[in-house]
Amino acid sequence: WYQRRVRVGEEHRTRVAQFLEKQGFKEQAMAVSVDPSHKFELALQLNDFATAFNLAEEHGSENRWKQLSDLALRNSDFQLAKTCMLRAKDYSGLLLLASSLGDAECLEQLAESAHSAGKENIAFTAYMMLNNIPKCLDLLPRLLPPYSALIP
């Protein structure tokens, strides 16, 4: 059996990678592809968190971080999910995750990030879960009137 190595030009590598992917050779497609978006999608399909994380850092958008956080949640990698949700600015998802895990440190970080981003309702809820009444009282004037009824 004779094997011959073929050199594929840089401009054709992504097309070859897409062909390999369609044939079910995702690992080989990952090795051949030069397109960061295609590599990111392949990394998600292969559950290659490290590669997907690195690609999201290099060419990241909130959407990529959200995709990676969803995959991390499906695979019960809560630490990665928290990191990705913070970078995706998915404050409501992070509030749900942190409160479900009982992670006070994450709730504190979320409250600060949400407050800095102008998401006072999420910051207020996180501070309330942490029983940080002074911070809640500071946020009340910026919130809608229904929230002010929570603290007499």
Side-chain angles (χ1 to χ4, degrees), residues 66-78:
K66 179 72 173 133
Q67 287 178 288
L68 186 53
S69 72
D70 290 346
L71 182 63
L73 279 175
R74 281 195 298 274
N75 287 281
S76 302
D77 189 342
F78 300 125

Side-chain angles (χ1 to χ4, degrees), residues 24-152:
F25 300 105
K26 293 180 181 172
E27 292 89 1
Q28 291 84 351
M30 176 79 106
V32 171
S33 183
V34 293
D35 177 27
S37 294
H38 188 232
K39 284 185 95 156
F40 180 78
E41 293 300 324
L42 286 168
L44 290 179
Q45 292 173 28
L46 293 168
N47 288 339
D48 185 352
F49 295 123
T51 302
F53 188 87
N54 290 335
L55 288 166
E57 272 192 319
E58 291 172 18
H59 309 282
S61 65
E62 287 183 15
N63 187 42
R64 283 193 181 174
W65 288 115
K66 179 72 173 133
Q67 287 178 288
L68 186 53
S69 72
D70 290 346
L71 182 63
L73 279 175
R74 281 195 298 274
N75 287 281
S76 302
D77 189 342
F78 300 125
Q79 190 60 42
L80 178 61
K82 286 190 281 190
T83 302
C84 294
M85 284 179 177
L86 268 174
R87 293 186 182 196
K89 296 179 177 71
D90 181 7
Y91 299 121
S92 57
L94 191 55
L95 178 65
L96 178 63
L97 180 62
S99 62
S100 298
L101 296 174
D103 188 342
E105 183 180 315
C106 184
L107 279 172
E108 184 69 39
Q109 186 179 13
L110 166 64
E112 296 298 326
S113 297
H115 181 60
S116 298
K119 304 287 185 187
E120 276 86 11
N121 57 339
I122 293 174
F124 178 85
T125 305
Y127 283 132
M128 182 64 87
M129 289 177 162
L130 291 167
N131 202 27
N132 190 337
I133 304 304
K135 291 277 191 174
C136 289
L137 291 173
D138 288 343
L139 287 174
L140 271 180
R142 294 183 209 121
L143 295 173
L144 297 173
Y147 283 105
S148 4
L150 292 175
I151 299 178

Side-chain angles (χ1 to χ4, degrees), residues 4-20 28-29 31-35:
R4 189 176 117 175
R5 291 187 179 225
V6 178
R7 290 201 181 267
V8 177
E10 195 77 19
E11 67 277 2
H12 301 294
R13 290 180 69 140
T14 298
R15 289 180 61 200
V16 170
Q18 290 169 342
F19 171 78
L20 288 170
Q28 291 84 351
V32 171
S33 183
V34 293
D35 177 27

